Amino acid sequence: MSAAESRPAEEQVVTYETRGPVAVVTVNRPEYRNAQNSKVTYALDAAFTRAVDDDDVKAIVLAGSGEHFSGGHDIGTPGRDIHESFERKAVIMWDHTDKQGVDSRLARESEVYLGMCRRWREIPKPMIAMVQGACIAGGLMLAWSCDFIVASEDAFFSDPVVRMGIPGVEFFAHPWVMNPRAAKEFLYTGDRFGAQRAQQLGMVNHVVPRQELESTVFALAERISAMPRFGLALAKKAINQAEDLQGMRSGMDSVFGLHHAAHAHNAEVDADSLAGMDARAVRDAGRQVAGST
């Protein structure tokens, strides 16, 4: 048993369990709307690796505890760990903690955000995101790394980082998970897209009442689990390759550069790399928009 597994469940930022052939990986910071710090990222990666290594696991469900799937990156909780060093897994890059400026930020975000999401997108077992409540910014990246998204009727999706002068989250899948015109509206307005609209745009597979969310997800996972494991892995790779041939990977690389140009601009002309915005300011702005529509 690892040190993480020996801690009480309430102290684990990510929990892991199996239900028959299905592994359930759950972000467990409900008091912070499951905001993702680096500790969460690496705990998720360890859980996904565990599921891949277990031959009895045929499918993986990614969930968020509490009322919300994920409120995004941790940009202000007491557990924010941007200055901590972790063993790097996704890309070959130096430690960011003793670097400065873009050198530090690019190293960290290449590893913790873009690199990890790309790594998880290539997991050879089917992944289902079970989304309730908020799925915002970094939460989108978690859901978009999965093969399916099943959402409750009260779920909503938002990427409000243009408010910071940033062109979108690091794993820039927007034009591929929805059509380009919808992606422009999503980013230009910062509006919340409800679950029904997200399904209409092709970003969400199924929308169900909150009380039916778990049963729907596990029924889907069990049907998938009946298929041959190797066939599923090949089918997933085939579709991922098709997306990349349509420009997804190179498009993400180009936008990642713009993303860091925006961070650097903010750091030069504003209060910090996030243009002085914190989680509360982003949340309040989103609520104002939601209330006016």
Side-chain angles (χ1 to χ4, degrees), residues 40-266:
V40 167
T41 298
Y42 289 101
L44 283 171
D45 191 70
F48 293 147
T49 300
R50 180 178 175 182
V52 171
D53 287 343
D54 186 344
D55 285 343
D56 291 330
V57 169
K58 307 301 182 185
I60 303 167
V61 170
L62 175 60
S65 61
E67 289 299 305
H68 300 284
F69 176 74
S70 177
H73 297 325
D74 186 340
I75 59 173
T77 83
R80 192 180 189 208
D81 52 13
I82 190 170
H83 299 300
E84 293 185 33
S85 180
F86 293 81
E87 182 183 1
R88 291 169 297 286
K89 299 283 189 180
V91 296
I92 299 174
M93 199 69 181
W94 47 71
D95 185 8
H96 73 282
T97 57
D98 60 346
K99 309 300 186 296
Q100 294 182 332
V102 176
D103 190 2
S104 173
R105 194 175 302 112
L106 183 65
R108 179 175 183 268
E109 294 193 359
S110 295
E111 161 72 12
V112 177
Y113 297 150
L114 179 60
M116 278 296 185
C117 287
R118 281 179 166 170
R119 174 176 163 90
W120 300 336
R121 177 176 174 257
E122 297 300 326
I123 287 172
K125 296 183 178 181
M127 300 255 291
I128 305 172
M130 182 166 66
V131 177
Q132 80 284 1
C135 183
I136 299 172
L140 295 170
M141 294 168 53
L142 293 183
W144 289 347
S145 297
C146 296
D147 302 296
F148 305 94
I149 300 175
V150 181
S152 62
E153 291 174 336
D154 65 345
F156 62 90
F157 304 83
S158 166
D159 187 359
V161 300
V162 175
R163 299 186 196 284
M164 304 174 182
I166 299 171
V169 291
E170 296 85 352
F171 187 74
F172 193 85
H174 309 63
W176 290 273
V177 299
M178 62 183 92
N179 67 68
R181 292 189 186 281
K184 288 179 179 179
E185 181 183 348
F186 193 58
L187 289 166
Y188 292 4
T189 65
D191 285 354
R192 297 177 174 185
F193 282 14
Q196 295 288 353
R197 182 159 190 211
Q199 184 183 32
Q200 292 168 359
L201 294 170
M203 189 170 73
V204 167
N205 295 79
H206 302 282
V207 177
V208 297
R210 171 77 78 105
Q211 63 270 24
E212 297 175 16
L213 179 60
E214 188 170 312
S215 61
T216 301
V217 167
F218 282 94
L220 177 60
E222 288 173 7
R223 292 201 304 277
I224 292 168
S225 297
M227 300 292 279
R229 181 182 63 184
F230 190 52
L232 288 169
L234 292 178
K236 179 169 184 173
K237 184 170 287 292
I239 294 170
N240 283 359
Q241 287 175 343
E243 285 185 316
D244 288 339
L245 287 169
Q246 294 168 357
M248 185 172 181
R249 186 177 182 88
S250 59
M252 282 188 181
D253 283 337
S254 67
V255 178
F256 193 59
L258 297 175
H259 181 98
H260 281 279
H263 273 317
H265 176 76
N266 287 342

Side-chain angles (χ1 to χ4, degrees), residues 75 163-164 266-267 270-282:
I75 59 173
R163 299 186 196 284
M164 304 174 182
N266 287 342
D270 216 317
D272 54 35
S273 66
L274 302 179
M277 297 284 282
D278 59 13
R280 185 184 299 274
V282 173

